Amino acid sequence: MTINVGVTEQPITVTETSDAVIGVDVTGGRGPTGSVGVTGPTGPTGSTGPTGATGATGADSTVPGPTGATGATGPTGATGPTGTTGADSTVTGPTGPTGATGATGPTGATGATGATGPTGATGPTGPTGATGATGATGSDSTVPGPTGATGPTGATGAAYSRTITSVTSSTTLGAAAATDYVALCGTSGAPILPTAVANTNRYTIKNIQTTANTTVSTTSSQTIDGTPTLTLTPNASIDVISDGTNWRIL
């Protein structure tokens, strides 16, 4: 770009820039300013001027500049040679963590069965369970069952005898042990029972008369069912036994 400047009689200093050249018209004195002309087209860019001399180095700054970005990591260098083995340490290092449990190995073969141990003591008997319901009655058998065994023979009873007496007067009946007495009372017959104490005999007394009564009496003020005497009408009879003290009618 070129700029034409009208110069007065004053001195003019010309400075060269990097991209423009300023031209100076050094003709005679400045006439009156003419009217502004039409702006001409932009001229071509001039060539770059030479680089100026390097200025003096400025004083060191007391303020640290910002840290630059970290550069890319360089490639890993080659592995150096192995160093010599150090002396064995006398201090045991800490135990490392326990490793993971390995997989379970296969089950081994079953061993032989051991000998049977002795039988333990018998435990206490448990409580008796409830009685079950009664089963249905079976049908009657048509086959007679076997005859049971004959039971043992019972002891032989005491031997008893019987004495029959005709009574026609006042007569005390006999008292022999183990003897049943039968008294048949006729005319004027008046039987007298012996003592009832310790007497185990049975006495049958019958009035065989057809019209007269017969009176039965006792010994030692004993009684017959509470009375000292008993009257038998014709053809009547009684059976008495002792209760150990007096006589009782059967």
Side-chain angles (χ1 to χ4, degrees):
M1 178 184 217
T2 302
I3 301 173
N4 295 318
V5 180
V7 180
T8 64
E9 293 179 356
Q10 298 298 325
I12 298 172
T13 300
V14 178
T15 301
E16 181 179 347
T17 65
S18 61
D19 292 329
V21 176
I22 301 173
V24 179
D25 185 0
V26 291
T27 58
R30 185 173 61 188
T33 302
S35 59
V36 178
V38 177
T39 302
T42 301
T45 301
S47 59
T48 301
T51 302
T54 303
T57 302
D60 291 339
S61 173
T62 58
V63 179
T67 302
T70 302
T73 302
T76 302
T79 303
T82 303
T84 58
T85 303
D88 293 338
S89 174
T90 58
V91 179
T92 304
T95 304
T98 303
T101 303
T104 303
T107 303
T110 302
T113 303
T116 303
T119 302
T122 303
T125 303
T128 303
T131 302
T134 303
T137 303
S139 57
D140 293 337
S141 172
T142 58
V143 180
T147 302
T150 302
T153 302
T156 303
Y160 266 78
S161 63
R162 177 173 294 152
T163 298
I164 300 175
T165 303
S166 292
V167 178
T168 57
S169 61
S170 179
T171 304
T172 300
L173 302 179
T179 303
D180 287 341
Y181 287 90
V182 178
L184 301 177
C185 302
T187 302
S188 301
I192 301 172
L193 291 169
T195 181
V197 177
N199 193 324
T200 59
N201 299 330
R202 177 172 179 164
Y203 293 82
T204 301
I205 302 172
K206 183 176 177 63
N207 180 7
I208 61 174
Q209 300 178 84
T210 58
T211 58
N213 293 334
T214 295
T215 300
V216 180
S217 59
T218 63
T219 301
S220 302
S221 301
Q222 295 172 1
T223 61
I224 303 171
D225 276 358
T227 62
T229 61
L230 181 69
T231 299
L232 293 179
T233 60
N235 294 316
S237 66
I238 60 168
D239 287 275
V240 295
I241 59 172
S242 169
D243 63 5
T245 303
N246 294 288
W247 296 98
R248 298 294 178 181
I249 299 173
L250 296 180

